Amino acid sequence: MAHIEASFFNHRFDDDTFSKNMVEALTQAVASVLGEDAANETAIILRGVDPAHWGYKGELQN
């Protein structure tokens, strides 16, 4: 069984289709590498992060 956790800026979740599309895409990626049986047993958690709590290249991304 695959377990995937992915974090995104909170504003991505403003799009009502984002979560559905991301879960489908990540599941398809698992299927392409590990096969359909693994994809059918894959758990995916999507997390929202405030840009004020996300740093990149030494700077906050707010």
Side-chain angles (χ1 to χ4, degrees):
M1 176 178 147
H3 176 96
I4 299 171
E5 292 189 44
S7 299
F8 302 91
F9 288 145
N10 286 331
H11 69 83
R12 295 283 186 192
F13 297 95
D14 293 345
D15 176 352
D16 292 339
T17 63
F18 174 77
S19 293
K20 177 183 181 300
N21 292 340
M22 187 56 66
V23 167
E24 288 175 359
L26 291 171
T27 302
Q28 289 173 354
V30 169
S32 72
V33 175
L34 299 175
E36 287 295 326
D37 288 341
N40 290 333
E41 304 249 342
T42 296
I44 297 172
I45 297 172
L46 304 178
R47 298 188 188 278
V49 178
D50 185 326
H53 299 146
W54 185 300
Y56 181 69
K57 294 185 179 181
E59 296 182 15
L60 291 176
Q61 300 300 300
N62 49 358

